[in-house]
Amino acid sequence: MGKFHFLFSFMLFALVVYGVYETEGNTKSTMDDSRNGKIGVIVDKSSRIGKEEILAMQMAVEDFNSFRNQRVSLVIRDYKSDPNLAALAANDLLNMQRVQVLIGPQTWEATSIVAEVGNEKQIPVLALANDIPKWANKRFKFLVEASPSQLNQMRAIAGIVSSWDWHLVNVIYEDKDFSTTGIFPHLVHALRDVGAEVNEFVGLSQFDSDLFCRELERLRRGSSRIFVVHMSFKLALRLFEIANEMGMMGKDYVWIATDSFTNLAYSFNASSNSLLQGVVGVKSFFPENNPQFHEFYHRFSRRFRLEHSDEDNHEPGIFAIQAYDAARTAAMAMSKLQEKGNHLMEKIELTDFQGLGGKIQFRDRQLASSDTFQIINVMGRSYRELGFWSDKLGFSRELRENSSSSSSMKDLVEVLWPGGSSVTPRGWVVPTDATPLRIGVPTSSMFKQYVHVEGDPTGNNLSFNGLAIDLFKATLDNLNFPLPYQFFRFDGPYDDLVEQIYLKNFDAAVGDIAILSRRYKHAEFTHPYSEAGLVMVVPTTKDTSNRALMFTKPFTATMWFAIAVINVYNGFVVWFIERNRYPGHEGSMFNQAGTMLCSSFTTLFSLHGNMLHSNFSRMTMVVWLFMALVITQIYTANLTSMLTIQKLEPTVTDIETLQRANALVGFGRGSFVKRYLEEVLHFRSENIRNYSSPNDYAEALRNKEIAAAFLEVPFVKIFLAEFCREFMVSGPTYKVGGFGFAFPRGSPMLTDINEALLKVSETGKFRDLEDSMIANEKCEDEDPKGEKSSLSPSSFFILFVLSGGVSTIALTLYIFNAHDFNFQQNTIWRLMIAIMRQWGNQRRRFSRRVSDESQMPVSNDTNLQIQVQ
């Protein structure tokens, strides 16, 4: 067997050596070596790329020789896309043909072998492969990257994905060597920058129809409908053929191809175009508007048509452009070497000229990376250019100065998607009843009010209950589409539950799952549906401070002021009505004011009804006493309640006190709190205890096993609802993530789920669910705050209005009544005086000759008249 292998290798080597393909015309190898330069070329002669490269390099050498005294020739070997043949060809070119430089091949798999040979012989190798790993430049000192890196196209692809708000993509690639997979970190990072994720990488390495069908079928059963294809032309074309047979090239699907396929888009025949309708691609860009390219384009097309009449298209592509510039680079370096006698590698590194593809200038044996790409869309009989993407401008229709640009592809020409539709695909499909979402539910929740998984002893007939479950169901009810799902119990830690989503064992996770930064590497979360925060719960103790003013606490300050005002007002009304009948109301104004104020407050305890003479004052006093009776009774009851139920205060007010005392603290088993206590709050690990139920928490706090417990805010509501008198929250709220539902990173459903979750909150449904949960644990003897126990005037508004109103009415009626009495009394007196005056005037008409006896009555009458007046 070894003998046969040796014979086969020898014959293969001989075939390569003697099957030499020499260039035509001016590139004969019979010239004198001192005046000739030989360039070794390794290409796949049967491929379209190889055909373009051979013709382009021949034209480059011919153009160079026509302007120089030296003669440069090409020695071409066909490696038939076989890396082993590429190695044999490189050895032949270096050892037998004595070439000074090597160009090619197209793939990194073959280039790496040729570079190894060149490194040993210290012969420069100008590589035309695109997918050259970064480490290759350091390992192979004689490797020169003659084609610019196309890694920036990954950012262009991410821009396309972002433009249409897609979040999850599948990547299908040719798994031929590790250089291909080396570009994917760039794609992953670019997608994450725009909020998208790679759902799955699928590597295909051979033309195996069964393998292609199996992998495509598996992808079709998934939810993502966005596919990025990074394959060689032949393998990608086969992929699209099988996808078309499986109905995956129709409506709702999106196919995005990289430059390894689209750079040959101009060579598609009619059958290929009909197959690829709607495919969007990123294509390498080179300037086509300079005279040098136009002249090359016409010469190349004419010669290519004559030499390769079997090809449908005769235009030069990016591969011809790069091959032309590479051959010219080698020829120019060789001519300078003959002039000055230095090493050829140094001359290549100093190359500086304007090539067909742009500036040819090496830095660390590399050309500058491409930063501009064309965006194409296959439609009709060919493809159309939608526009461009550049690193500086983003998307634009033209590459002109002052041309408009955008970060979105939507501003370019309208896209025709697979299936002939101009409507942008959603990018994902809703799972069907045949493939419902697999949702993991934790069984280790400490508070069963949030998540509770029950089943029979055999583990069957599972039921899933709790606030988180009810909220998730309510969220799905608010979606615009049905979403089949199935709950599965998970018995491990919460971190492992989230990781199961990354491992694709679950499609989502529902429960009291804390949103943590470290969990984002495995999943993405909805908006928090609960309050975010971590608080400290400690035992309570009675507050015995500030007892001196306890008697004032039943009423607020406003209430005390209102009582004083209404009492003074009522006292004034009674004093005013009784001032002329009650002897105590006589005397100086100071004595009367004192009497009035004294009666205002003694009325609270005595009616003094026997001292009142007016019905108006009695009416005022009755209502006043009724109000005073009600107020005093309520005051007594409220003061008694305050003295009986004393205010509670925390036993610990801050974490510094705990740390100074080296006290023990507790947390819930399986939660993230332990790490937070150690890394953020700096508690010692040995001072932290874990508990698995609220009762364990309460018992540990009662027995002073721990001085404090740390709980998330949503859990504290439940805990204090059950143990409101024994424990309370103390200290600040530490900001941490709340609870959320977990989905795969970049999940296309996440936007709709978040929108539905907000609807549940905005409609009050979540509040109702939470209130219902807490109501079941309601603590009936919850201690009200002292401030809330103090009564304000609003509690006695009706009494104040009644008392003040009655007093005002009584005062008004009294004033009107007194005015009418005085008016009647004054009228009688005036009438009597008028009558008496009239009678006196008549008596004076008698004779003045009257006796002294008869004059006395007159004198008496006169005196009476004067007295009356």
Side-chain angles (χ1 to χ4, degrees):
M1 191 69 183
K3 186 175 181 180
F4 174 78
H5 178 74
F6 172 77
L7 180 61
F8 175 78
S9 300
F10 176 78
M11 292 177 64
L12 188 61
F13 177 76
L15 177 64
V16 173
V17 171
Y18 293 104
V20 176
Y21 181 95
E22 297 287 357
T23 57
E24 300 176 358
N26 295 330
T27 58
K28 302 296 183 182
S29 60
T30 57
M31 302 182 66
D32 183 72
D33 288 344
S34 62
R35 303 197 50 194
N36 282 347
K38 288 186 178 183
I39 301 175
V41 178
I42 304 175
V43 296
D44 182 0
K45 192 172 114 175
S46 63
S47 68
R48 170 71 189 221
I49 297 175
K51 294 175 183 178
E52 287 191 24
E53 289 176 341
I54 290 174
L55 179 56
M57 285 187 280
Q58 287 175 347
M59 294 174 61
V61 170
E62 291 170 2
D63 292 343
F64 179 81
N65 289 338
S66 64
F67 293 100
R68 299 282 181 150
N69 190 25
Q70 294 85 10
R71 287 293 178 264
V72 177
S73 63
L74 296 178
V75 182
I76 302 175
R77 295 290 183 269
D78 182 8
Y79 80 107
K80 303 182 186 302
S81 295
D82 187 343
N84 294 322
L85 292 181
L88 293 174
N91 280 292
D92 171 65
L93 291 171
L94 295 179
N95 297 326
M96 305 299 295
Q97 301 300 321
R98 302 289 183 180
V99 299
Q100 287 97 338
V101 63
L102 293 173
I103 299 179
Q106 186 62 36
T107 66
W108 168 247
E109 187 179 12
T111 299
S112 61
I113 298 176
V114 174
E116 189 72 46
V117 177
N119 217 43
E120 293 177 0
K121 303 294 184 180
Q122 296 188 355
I123 297 297
V125 177
L126 274 65
L128 297 176
N130 286 333
D131 301 332
I132 299 179
K134 291 184 177 181
W135 53 262
N137 188 269
K138 295 180 179 180
R139 177 175 176 180
F140 303 115
K141 300 300 182 182
F142 286 84
L143 177 65
V144 180
E145 298 182 25
S147 62
S149 172
Q150 306 295 315
L151 289 178
N152 281 332
Q153 71 174 313
M154 298 303 158
R155 297 178 59 193
I157 292 173
I160 295 174
V161 173
S162 173
S163 298
W164 309 105
D165 295 325
W166 297 323
H167 299 283
L168 204 63
V169 302
N170 295 311
V171 178
I172 306 175
Y173 65 96
E174 185 172 357
D175 190 14
K176 55 186 177 180
D177 56 63
F178 52 82
S179 66
T180 304
T181 58
I183 71 172
F184 292 139
H186 299 273
L187 177 60
V188 171
H189 293 155
L191 288 173
R192 286 181 178 175
D193 288 341
V194 297
E197 291 286 335
V198 175
N199 178 52
E200 192 165 351
F201 288 101
V202 178
L204 302 174
S205 59
Q206 55 186 346
F207 291 106
D208 186 342
S209 297
D210 292 337
L211 176 62
F212 277 41
C213 291
R214 286 197 303 271
E215 293 295 337
L216 288 177
E217 178 62 27
R218 186 168 58 84
L219 293 176
R220 185 172 64 172
R221 291 182 178 178
S223 60
S224 177
R225 288 294 181 264
I226 313 298
F227 300 93
V228 175
V229 178
H230 183 69
M231 288 179 162
S232 62
F233 180 77
K234 290 183 179 180
L235 196 64
L237 198 58
R238 180 58 181 155
L239 173 72
F240 286 124
E241 290 174 354
I242 297 176
N244 185 56
E245 294 172 0
M246 298 177 62
M248 298 178 67
M249 296 296 294
K251 187 179 179 181
D252 295 332
Y253 285 87
V254 177
W255 294 89
I256 305 173
T258 63
D259 68 332
S260 59
F261 178 76
T262 56
N263 280 346
L264 288 172
Y266 58 90
S267 67
F268 294 165
N269 54 34
S271 61
S272 298
N273 281 324
S274 63
L275 174 67
L276 301 171
Q277 293 294 298
V279 172
V280 175
V282 178
K283 183 172 175 286
S284 298
F285 168 78
F286 58 89
E288 301 179 12
N289 55 359
N290 60 75
Q292 183 183 4
F293 174 77
H294 286 301
E295 191 271 336
F296 171 81
Y297 176 87
H298 292 299
R299 288 195 298 130
F300 181 93
S301 299
R302 185 170 55 253
R303 291 182 57 172
F304 196 84
R305 183 181 297 108
L306 294 174
E307 297 181 13
H308 305 286
S309 57
D310 57 321
E311 294 286 346
D312 295 331
N313 189 285
H314 310 105
E315 298 177 2
I318 186 66
F319 304 107
I321 301 300
Q322 293 174 353
Y324 184 94
D325 289 339
R328 187 179 174 189
T329 298
M332 292 176 63
M334 293 168 68
S335 66
K336 293 178 181 179
L337 177 66
Q338 291 176 356
E339 293 173 2
K340 298 185 178 180
N342 295 332
H343 199 282
L344 181 60
M345 190 64 193
E346 298 176 2
K347 298 304 177 184
I348 294 176
E349 290 181 314
L350 295 175
T351 300
D352 187 0
F353 70 92
Q354 190 66 31
L356 292 178
K359 185 75 169 177
I360 304 299
Q361 187 177 29
F362 296 98
R363 182 176 181 180
D364 295 331
R365 308 192 308 280
Q366 295 174 324
L367 291 176
S369 299
S370 297
D371 60 359
T372 303
F373 299 89
Q374 286 181 310
I375 308 300
I376 67 171
N377 181 208
V378 179
M379 60 179 298
R381 295 183 179 180
S382 182
Y383 69 92
R384 61 174 178 168
E385 297 176 356
L386 302 179
F388 302 89
W389 180 91
S390 63
D391 190 24
K392 295 181 180 179
L393 300 177
F395 292 97
S396 59
R397 294 190 179 184
E398 298 178 341
L399 290 177
R400 296 179 182 177
E401 293 184 4
N402 301 324
S403 62
S404 61
S405 60
S406 172
S407 60
S408 174
M409 183 181 166
K410 294 180 180 179
D411 296 330
L412 302 182
V413 180
E414 186 179 51
V415 181
L416 180 70
W417 302 105
S421 174
S422 59
V423 178
T424 304
R426 183 166 56 179
W428 62 282
V429 293
V430 179
T432 63
D433 291 333
T435 57
L437 287 181
R438 293 175 53 86
I439 299 178
V441 180
T443 60
S444 58
S445 176
M446 185 171 67
F447 288 84
K448 302 304 179 183
Q449 295 88 341
Y450 263 87
V451 183
H452 187 35
V453 180
E454 290 182 301
D456 56 28
T458 62
N460 299 320
N461 301 322
L462 294 177
S463 64
F464 300 85
N465 303 296
L467 175 64
I469 302 298
D470 295 338
L471 177 61
F472 181 73
K473 293 179 180 178
T475 300
L476 297 189
D477 291 339
N478 281 272
L479 290 176
N480 298 323
F481 50 87
L483 188 63
Y485 65 90
Q486 186 175 357
F487 288 131
F488 293 87
R489 64 179 296 161
F490 182 78
D491 299 322
Y494 281 70
D495 285 344
D496 292 349
L497 171 60
V498 175
E499 188 176 4
Q500 295 304 308
I501 299 175
Y502 177 77
L503 298 176
K504 302 188 183 304
N505 294 325
F506 290 136
D507 298 311
V510 170
D512 50 347
I513 305 171
I515 301 174
L516 304 177
S517 59
R518 71 172 183 270
R519 291 176 180 172
Y520 262 90
K521 65 181 180 181
H522 292 140
E524 206 164 348
F525 294 87
T526 61
H527 298 315
Y529 65 78
S530 67
E531 295 182 49
L534 183 70
V535 295
M536 179 174 64
V537 177
V538 298
T540 59
T541 183
K542 293 183 179 180
D543 181 14
T544 58
S545 61
N546 197 23
R547 304 281 297 225
L549 298 177
M550 178 62 72
F551 72 94
T552 65
K553 296 298 183 180
F555 293 152
T556 62
T558 306
M559 179 65 182
W560 284 115
F561 178 76
I563 292 175
V565 170
I566 196 67
N567 279 335
V568 170
Y569 177 68
N570 289 339
F572 167 76
V573 171
V574 172
W575 168 80
F576 187 82
I577 295 174
E578 298 289 334
R579 70 186 189 283
N580 293 326
R581 295 185 178 92
Y582 182 46
H585 290 167
E586 298 178 353
S588 65
M589 290 298 297
F590 180 79
N591 289 334
Q592 292 186 41
T595 302
M596 180 190 69
L597 293 175
C598 179
S599 63
S600 296
F601 291 97
T602 57
T603 302
L604 296 174
F605 311 100
S606 176
L607 178 63
H608 303 295
N610 57 339
M611 299 181 181
L612 301 178
H613 299 83
S614 173
N615 288 331
F616 296 128
S617 59
R618 292 190 186 103
M619 180 177 65
T620 300
M621 187 65 71
V622 168
V623 177
W624 187 9
L625 183 61
F626 174 73
M627 183 196 72
L629 180 64
V630 173
I631 290 177
T632 53
Q633 292 299 319
I634 293 178
Y635 171 84
T636 303
N638 204 16
L639 180 61
T640 303
S641 174
M642 288 184 174
L643 292 174
T644 304
I645 305 176
Q646 297 177 342
K647 182 180 178 182
L648 303 177
E649 63 179 8
T651 55
V652 180
T653 57
D654 52 58
I655 63 170
E656 288 77 11
T657 303
L658 295 173
Q659 291 169 339
R660 285 194 299 267
N662 200 29
L664 301 181
V665 296
F667 75 98
R669 178 176 58 83
S671 74
F672 71 95
V673 178
K674 184 176 189 296
R675 181 179 295 186
Y676 189 89
L677 293 176
E678 293 176 351
E679 298 179 358
V680 180
L681 301 184
H682 306 296
F683 281 95
R684 298 169 61 182
S685 178
E686 58 269 20
N687 289 346
I688 302 175
R689 300 287 185 269
N690 70 81
Y691 299 93
S692 58
S693 70
N695 290 328
D696 293 342
Y697 260 132
E699 193 63 27
L701 289 170
R702 290 190 193 106
N703 299 335
K704 298 184 179 180
E705 180 182 334
I706 56 176
F710 287 86
L711 290 170
E712 295 97 317
V713 170
F715 290 159
V716 168
K717 292 182 178 181
I718 303 174
F719 185 77
L720 294 185
E722 184 177 357
F723 305 104
C724 61
R725 294 286 297 123
E726 295 183 79
F727 312 107
M728 66 187 306
V729 173
S730 179
T733 300
Y734 301 98
K735 191 67 175 179
V736 296
F739 296 155
F741 305 140
F743 285 83
R745 289 192 60 84
S747 172
M749 293 183 291
L750 197 57
T751 301
D752 297 285
I753 294 292
N754 276 326
E755 182 180 355
L757 187 59
L758 287 175
K759 289 180 182 178
V760 174
S761 299
E762 292 170 357
T763 56
K765 177 65 175 178
F766 175 69
R767 184 182 62 184
D768 294 342
L769 292 173
E770 190 176 40
D771 291 345
S772 176
M773 175 188 67
I774 295 177
N776 294 330
E777 308 292 336
K778 191 66 176 178
C779 184
E780 298 297 336
D781 60 343
E782 183 176 357
D783 182 29
K785 297 291 185 182
E787 294 76 12
K788 294 182 180 179
S789 300
S790 300
L791 301 175
S792 65
S794 61
S795 303
F796 303 91
F797 178 76
I798 300 297
L799 283 177
F800 284 132
V801 171
L802 178 63
S803 179
V806 169
S807 297
T808 302
I809 291 172
L811 180 63
T812 303
L813 293 176
Y814 171 77
I815 293 174
F816 276 107
N817 186 63
H819 179 270
D820 291 343
F821 176 78
N822 289 334
F823 178 77
Q824 294 175 1
Q825 197 174 35
N826 290 338
T827 301
I828 294 173
W829 278 109
R830 289 192 188 97
L831 180 62
M832 291 176 63
I833 292 173
I835 294 173
M836 293 177 70
R837 285 179 177 176
Q838 183 67 25
W839 181 73
N841 291 333
Q842 291 179 355
R843 292 290 303 270
R844 280 195 291 271
R845 294 176 184 176
F846 288 100
S847 175
R848 296 184 179 271
R849 293 171 300 178
V850 292
S851 62
D852 294 335
E853 300 167 341
S854 60
Q855 292 177 352
M856 288 299 296
V858 174
S859 176
N860 292 337
D861 291 341
T862 303
N863 292 337
L864 178 60
Q865 182 180 3
I866 295 172
Q867 185 177 359
V868 171
Q869 291 178 348

